[in-house]
Amino acid sequence: MHKNAAKVFSAFFPNRKIAAVEPLSSGLINTTYRIDCPDGSYLLQRLNTKIFPRPAHITENVEKAAAHLQKKNYPKQILRFLPTAAGLPFHTDKKGEVWRLSVYFANTLTLDKPENTEQVFNAAAAYGEFLRYLSDLSPSKMHVIIPDFHNADLRMQQFVNALKNADAEKKNAVQEEIREIQNALPFLQKMNTLRLPLRITHNDTKISNLLFAADRTTPVAVIDWDTLMPGTVLSDFGDIVRTFCSTASENEKNLKEVIFREDYYRAAAEGFLSEAKTMLNETEKANLRNGAKRVILVQAMRFLTDFLNGNIYYATTYAEQNADRTKNQLQLFRSL
Ligand code: GN1
Ligand code: MG
C-alpha cells in the first residue's frame, strides 16, 4: 500500500528520493499520506471518486480560489495542487484511481478537539477570514462539487430510505437514536424555510481542517478545499461549532466526555464575527446558533443513515462506529 503511494509520487517527481511514507488518518473520505523527502514533505491523497466523481472540477475550484486569495494578499497559506511530471493537475493510475499532491506545510499540526478558548476564537476567526476573502468571488463561478450537499430535505429523504431498507437487527440497535432524530425533523423543516444567500463556502470547516502553528494557537492554513462551492455561511459556522465547541472529538465513545461548552461557543461566535460580520445579512446573524444546531443534527442523521446502510460512505474501524458517532452528535445536540 505504502509502496503504491511511493510509486504514485514518482508520477509527480520521477527522480526525487523518498525518506518516509506516513499514512495520515483524520479524514473520513479520502486516503492521505505524508511523503517525506530530504528537502521537505508533501501530502499525497487518493481521492474517493465514488463521492467526488469529477476531480477536474475540484482542481478548477481550488485553483480559482487560490488565485483570488493570492491576488488579494490573503495572509495565510494558500492550498495548491502540484502538477504531475506530465503537466496534469492530478494523476490517474492504471486502476483509474485519482491522486493529488500538495506541499506539506512544515511545523504545523491539526487538532481533533479544542484545548482552550483562545484556540477556538482564533480558529473561528480564521474560517471567517477565509470566507470574507472569498466573498467577492461570484458563487456562480464555482462548480457544484456535490449537489444538494446541505439540502436537509434530501438528507431526511436518505435517512427515511435507509430506515426502509435496513434489517430489523440494525434498527433495533439504534431505536432511540432513530426516534430522537425523527422528533427533531420539524426543526430541520423550519430551518429550511429560512431564505439564506448563496455564497462561496468551505463546507467542511471541522477542527481537523485547520492547520495550527506549533504553538497550537495560531492558525496557519485552512485546508481540505474539496467541497469549496456555493453554500450557506450558516453551514460553515455550524461545522465550526460542531467540532470546536465540543469537549470531545466526533469519534469519542464515552458520552460523558461529550459536552457542549458555552464559553467555547461565545469564543467561536466572537471570533467568527470579528472577521465575517461585514459580509453577513440580518437573517444570517440572527440564526448562527440555529445554524449550529442544524449542522449537528444533520451530521447525526448522516452518520445514522450510513450505519443503517452498512457503512458505505464514512470510513470506519469497527462495525458500530457510525452508530457511536450518531450518539456522540446527538449528545452534543442535546447539550446545546
Ligand atoms: C467528511 O472526510 P472529511 O473529513 O473530508 C464529510 C463531511 C463531514 C465529515 C465528518 C464530502 O469529511 O461532510 O462533516 O466527514 N465530507 C463529505 O467528519 O461528505
Ligand atoms: Mg472534507
Side-chain angles (χ1 to χ4, degrees), residues 59-74:
T59 40
E60 280 166 36
N61 276 4
V62 168
E63 198 35 57
K64 206 166 279 165
H68 186 77
L69 293 174
Q70 190 150 26
K71 193 175 72 196
K72 293 181 68 185
N73 293 319
Y74 173 64

Side-chain angles (χ1 to χ4, degrees), residues 204 209 224 227:
D204 196 8
N209 279 337
D224 185 1
T227 46

